[in-house]
Amino acid sequence: MKTGFFITLEGFEGSGKTTLARKLHHLFLKNGLNAMLTKEPGGTQAGDKIRKILLERGNEGLGYKAELLLFTASRAENVRINIKPALEKGIIVICDRYFDSTTAYQGFGRGIDMGIIDYLNGLAVEGVIPDLTLFLDVDPDIGLKRATILSNNTELRFEDEFMQKKEVDGKLFLERVRDGYHQIARQNPERIKVIDANRDIPLILKDIVSIINTQLSQKFKKEITLEL
Ligand code: TYD
């Protein structure tokens, strides 16, 4: 049975998601709470190999169906090996991207049938649903600028598609993914909190800590503080 607390971070490249996930992890540890940080795709031995197949330049020929199956395969391993066992031990798990990414990018972005997306996401996560999802909403132009400055050059496949202004059914891939995220957030108002990620990281972190504390104080009778 799950006794830990499960937080996922979602959003565009350049939203500060990965930096914030790391800072949050550090903050939990500094506040004396047992926490684990993982990411998708990746997080396991097989997952890291799958990540390379998915994101390395040179794999641009991969079809959408294979892409979907690989993202969900990586997730299934991450849930089985890392996330589920940690939550069962009462650990706080932070995951940089989770199933909402597949719904947003492969479902809304690529236009793959949502029934298939939901089925595969469900198969991969075995009922392990986040307690809290932080959707870091960044203006796509700001995000892309930040992402191209910060990004590892060998892993630019999706940014490339955004930059090339690729269209699916007459609408930019970028806009489809962003609209998708907003739709997912509207459908899950209890779980997903939309955060304005156009601001500086310290301000975003302050908001996130306050949201987390509301939930942690109920569950763990504990709050985290930024000043330690
Ligand atoms: P990631 O390494 O998290 O990139 P970043 O944190 O820099 O945004 O993810 C790489 C890309 O994979 C990202 O563009 C989003 C995409 N992605 C999907 O399309 N589907 C998924 O299920 C996941 C987890 C990621």
Side-chain angles (χ1 to χ4, degrees):
M1 208 194 73
K2 169 175 165 237
T3 57
F5 193 76
F6 187 21
I7 304 171
T8 59
L9 286 98
E10 294 286 347
F12 271 143
E13 2 294 91
S15 61
K17 187 172 53 56
T18 304
T19 308
L20 285 159
R22 286 198 192 120
K23 284 191 184 292
L24 206 53
H25 181 221
H26 191 61
L27 215 53
F28 278 125
L29 298 179
K30 267 174 67 179
N31 277 271
L33 287 163
N34 196 353
M36 185 192 95
L37 174 63
T38 184
K39 69 167 180 194
E40 293 196 359
T44 64
Q45 251 186 7
D48 288 341
K49 287 185 182 158
I50 293 173
R51 181 182 180 93
K52 284 205 173 122
I53 299 172
L54 278 162
L55 300 178
E56 260 180 11
R57 282 182 187 281
N59 286 335
E60 280 89 350
L62 204 62
Y64 293 179
K65 290 180 201 163
E67 180 188 275
L68 166 66
L69 291 166
L70 288 172
F71 276 120
T72 40
S74 169
R75 178 160 313 123
E77 284 298 273
N78 204 13
V79 171
R80 182 179 75 84
I81 294 170
N82 296 323
I83 300 174
K84 203 171 185 189
L87 290 172
E88 282 170 355
K89 285 187 205 134
I91 295 170
I92 297 169
V93 177
I94 306 159
C95 192
D96 185 348
R97 295 196 183 279
Y98 197 55
F99 59 49
D100 294 314
S101 284
T102 306
T103 310
Y105 285 79
Q106 280 65 52
F108 286 99
R110 302 294 200 207
I112 298 177
D113 183 280
M114 231 20 122
I116 294 172
I117 301 279
D118 290 346
Y119 178 78
L120 288 174
N121 271 339
L123 184 71
V125 308
E126 302 174 38
V128 179
I129 310 290
D131 295 291
L132 173 66
T133 297
L134 301 162
F135 166 39
L136 298 159
D137 190 24
V138 70
D139 182 90
D141 289 332
I142 297 178
L144 281 178
K145 264 186 212 127
R146 282 189 197 153
T148 36
I149 294 166
L150 296 174
S151 199
N152 168 357
N153 247 335
T154 60
E155 281 195 347
L156 279 172
R157 201 156 75 86
F158 282 80
E159 287 92 338
D160 276 355
E161 292 193 30
F162 291 159
M163 294 298 214
Q164 286 159 13
K165 303 215 177 293
K166 186 169 176 176
E167 287 192 7
V168 182
D169 292 338
K171 201 170 172 195
L172 290 179
F173 181 60
L174 174 78
E175 282 167 13
R176 291 173 63 98
V177 176
R178 190 179 197 212
D179 290 354
Y181 266 129
H182 278 283
Q183 211 162 305
I184 300 167
R186 277 197 302 276
Q187 286 162 356
N188 299 275
E190 286 296 311
R191 173 172 69 87
I192 304 181
K193 304 294 169 212
V194 183
I195 316 271
D196 173 6
N198 295 309
R199 299 167 301 158
D200 290 340
I201 297 279
L203 286 177
I204 306 175
L205 189 62
K206 211 168 152 225
D207 271 10
I208 290 179
V209 166
S210 128
I211 293 169
I212 288 174
N213 276 337
T214 316
Q215 304 207 5
L216 274 190
S217 56
Q218 288 164 11
K219 180 144 189 168
F220 290 93
K221 308 276 173 277
K222 178 147 183 136
E223 292 198 353
I224 53 172
T225 146
L226 274 166
E227 292 89 23
L228 278 180

